[in-house]
Amino acid sequence: MVHLIYLDGVVNKDSLQENVITPLLDSTKETVNINSLIEDVSENIIKTAEVFVVKEYKELTDAIVNGGTVILFEGIELGIIAGTTQFKERNIEQAISERTPKGARVGLTENLNTNISLLRGMVKTPSLCVESMKVRKLTDTEISILYIKKVVDQNVLAEVRKRIDIISVNYVLEAMTIKEAIEVGSVALFAMYEDSEPPDAVVYSLYEGKVVVLVDGNPYAIILPGLFMSIFQAPDEYNQKYGRLMNRLLRFVGFLLTIYLPSIYVVLVNFYADGYPIK
């Protein structure tokens, strides 16, 4: 007897029918060697690209939650996991938080694999490295660390790995948990990270030697380290030939005026009021 276990709504039913159910039904018409049943089914019958043979109960439950289909045979302790995942996701759309007149017209989504695919399509180098890990205690949350091997600051990369490894929470629904872990033990007036939604801005940061952290379910990339001057930088500056330095300088001057002008006005009014006409 064969048992198929999966969660409705997170599997691709067309793939399940075509690559798992139909081949299994066809195989019943043929003689199958019981002694090598698991091996024959996983290697010759199941047609999905991802097929794993596992024994641990935790691996089976994790696969079901992540959209896989588990195949169990009565009397056999091993199970087969077939990749049939198809989570519902938002289509690739224009970046909302950082709209620019020039540059890419797409933004990151909530799907981790889609975001990695977007960035891989823009970074044309084999030096792009993607390190995947899971933050787990109650639930698993996938996190990917991206960097370009030849230009990344190894000290920053090592520190990012270290701070993510020490995270111990029940669940991670937002990237803020990762950001807080990165800032643990640090005292700074400004954030030590940057958030970015346009993939082209993320790609430029990678080429500058920075580390990018992507969290599954979050449409923003975390760029490390966050620099103070990055606050005055706009994504469309990478697509302009002239004016980049002047634009940043004007933003910085505006920042200073915003801070100091009100205080200067208060000082003049309170301590030099006699020098100004009442009317």
Side-chain angles (χ1 to χ4, degrees):
M1 183 178 293
V2 182
H3 301 274
L4 296 183
I5 306 173
Y6 62 89
L7 289 179
D8 190 19
V10 297
V11 299
N12 187 328
K13 290 188 176 180
D14 292 335
S15 176
L16 176 62
Q17 179 66 43
E18 180 180 352
N19 300 318
V20 179
I21 297 177
T22 300
L24 283 173
L25 291 176
D26 292 340
S27 67
T28 58
K29 303 175 184 178
E30 304 174 359
T31 302
V32 179
N33 187 353
I34 301 298
N35 297 326
S36 60
L37 179 61
I38 293 293
E39 182 179 351
D40 289 340
V41 172
S42 61
E43 295 182 0
N44 303 319
I45 297 177
I46 303 301
K47 298 180 180 179
T48 59
E50 297 179 346
V51 181
F52 307 98
V53 177
V54 297
K55 185 176 182 180
E56 297 295 330
Y57 176 78
K58 182 67 166 58
E59 294 180 290
L60 296 176
T61 56
D62 288 347
I64 295 172
V65 171
N66 290 319
T69 298
V70 171
I71 305 166
L72 299 176
F73 295 90
E74 189 171 355
I76 299 179
E77 296 181 352
L78 299 176
I80 300 174
I81 300 173
T84 55
T85 306
Q86 188 185 43
F87 284 103
K88 303 297 182 183
E89 61 176 293
R90 176 170 58 92
N91 293 330
I92 297 176
E93 302 171 353
Q94 184 175 358
I96 298 175
S97 61
E98 299 177 73
R99 293 186 177 181
T100 60
K102 297 181 180 180
R105 288 289 182 268
V106 297
L108 300 178
T109 70
E110 288 78 9
N111 188 284
L112 180 61
N113 292 328
T114 301
N115 293 337
I116 294 176
S117 177
L118 282 173
L119 297 177
R120 281 193 181 276
M122 299 178 70
V123 180
K124 306 295 185 180
T125 172
S127 297
L128 176 63
C129 299
V130 179
E131 296 182 7
S132 298
M133 60 184 68
K134 291 184 178 181
V135 177
R136 64 170 64 193
K137 189 173 182 183
L138 180 62
T139 61
D140 292 339
T141 300
E142 291 191 33
I143 298 174
S144 291
I145 302 175
L146 287 75
Y147 58 92
I148 297 179
K149 189 174 183 180
K150 294 182 179 180
V151 297
V152 69
D153 188 326
Q154 295 296 332
N155 294 327
V156 173
L157 179 60
E159 189 65 26
V160 171
R161 289 171 177 161
K162 175 183 175 182
R163 298 199 180 194
I164 292 180
D165 285 340
I166 63 175
I167 295 177
S168 178
V169 294
N170 288 333
Y171 56 87
V172 178
L173 294 180
E174 292 292 338
M176 182 53 67
T177 305
I178 308 300
K179 298 173 186 176
E180 291 176 349
I182 291 172
E183 291 186 329
V184 166
S186 302
V187 179
L189 295 176
F190 300 94
M192 300 178 61
Y193 57 85
E194 304 171 36
D195 285 321
S196 186
E197 186 180 6
D200 55 338
V202 178
V203 169
Y204 285 121
S205 298
L206 288 171
Y207 280 122
E208 290 173 355
K210 296 183 179 181
V211 179
V212 172
V213 178
L214 299 177
V215 181
D216 191 25
N218 184 56
Y220 295 91
I222 305 173
I223 302 174
L224 301 163
L227 305 178
F228 174 72
M229 289 305 298
S230 298
I231 301 174
F232 309 102
Q233 183 175 312
D236 59 345
E237 290 180 358
Y238 294 107
N239 301 287
Q240 297 178 359
K241 185 176 181 180
Y242 302 105
R244 282 182 287 184
L245 178 60
M246 184 56 65
N247 289 338
R248 296 181 190 180
L249 181 60
L250 289 175
R251 294 190 191 101
F252 183 70
V253 172
F255 170 76
L256 294 178
L257 292 177
T258 302
I259 293 177
Y260 290 110
L261 273 184
S263 58
I264 293 174
Y265 174 78
V266 171
V267 170
L268 292 176
V269 169
N270 285 278
F271 296 97
Y272 301 96
D274 297 338
Y276 297 94
I278 298 177
K279 295 184 179 180

